[in-house]
Amino acid sequence: MTQQLALAIGLHQLATLVWIGGMFFAHFALRQAAQRTLEPPQRLRLMLGVFERFFVWVWLAVVVLWASGLWVFVGVYSGSMGWHVHTMMALALLMTALFAYIYFVPYRALARRVAEQDWPAAAERLGRIRAVILINLLLGLVTAGLGSAGRYLA
Ligand code: HEM
């Protein structure tokens, strides 16, 4: 059981690093550098290419987080865990919904606008993705903080 728990929490932690770290990098490093150095057509194509690759990893991270988290919560502790885990689940639900929104609405629209070379409309969709990613990043940092520090407060 201890080894299975170690595997589940290890995978949970890795998925957290991929999702939250990726959003942090995209928001605070890549986006600003691209804005300063590239013209809209190159910048929008670059960001679309980045999302095409990163979002595959985010879907994987979402599946791993829910599977490993629920396995520990239900399978090991039978649902009797502190408030920090309940809050983690609520925040994770919100983050998952926001990511699904990004993926199915503005990201798809961004791909269409880039294909049509409609740069102002593409930039508008990118702005929306940026805003929602920032919300998810802040939620993710709080969630990850709760996951690691919450047990000492519960
Ligand atoms: C964005 C989503 C999530 C993030 C960023 C996240 C992050 C974390 C982190 C960083 C830890 C600490 C791992 C460690 O011990 O080092 C953790 C623990 C945990 N997470 Fe999550 N988690 C997320 C979603 C979920 C979901 C959906 C569940 C489902 C029940 C869950 C259940 C748990 C449980 C049971 C623990 C162990 C808590 C403890 O031992 O006190 N997490 N999480």
Side-chain angles (χ1 to χ4, degrees):
M1 181 61 84
T2 319
Q3 279 170 349
Q4 288 172 1
L5 200 54
L7 179 68
I9 291 290
L11 288 173
H12 201 77
Q13 183 75 273
L14 285 177
T16 300
L17 292 172
V18 167
W19 191 3
I20 316 298
M23 288 195 292
F24 193 95
F25 169 75
H27 190 82
F28 287 109
L30 178 65
R31 182 182 67 89
Q32 294 179 353
Q35 241 168 8
R36 277 199 202 132
T37 55
L38 299 174
E39 294 301 319
Q42 285 79 32
R43 182 168 58 88
L44 290 156
R45 281 200 187 100
L46 170 73
M47 292 310 290
L48 179 63
V50 168
F51 293 146
E52 272 166 8
R53 286 156 187 83
F54 178 54
F55 287 172
V56 174
W57 290 100
V58 176
W59 279 120
L60 190 65
V62 167
V63 170
V64 169
L65 280 166
W66 279 101
S68 57
L70 282 175
W71 186 77
V72 174
F73 183 68
V74 181
V76 179
Y77 291 97
S78 309
S80 64
M81 292 193 85
W83 62 269
H84 68 296
V85 178
H86 293 92
T87 312
M88 178 186 298
M89 269 193 289
L91 290 173
L93 195 62
L94 187 56
M95 288 179 65
T96 304
L98 286 174
F99 173 64
Y101 164 74
I102 291 175
Y103 188 85
F104 290 110
V105 185
Y107 165 63
R108 291 210 164 162
L110 173 69
R112 274 197 304 275
R113 299 298 174 237
V114 168
E116 291 160 2
Q117 304 195 3
D118 182 349
W119 307 119
E124 200 265 322
R125 298 313 189 285
L126 182 62
R128 194 167 314 165
I129 294 173
R130 182 199 64 79
V132 185
I133 284 188
L134 179 60
I135 296 171
N136 248 1
L137 173 58
L138 295 174
L139 290 172
L141 290 171
V142 172
T143 311
L146 270 180
S148 45
R151 82 195 62 157
Y152 304 107
L153 304 169

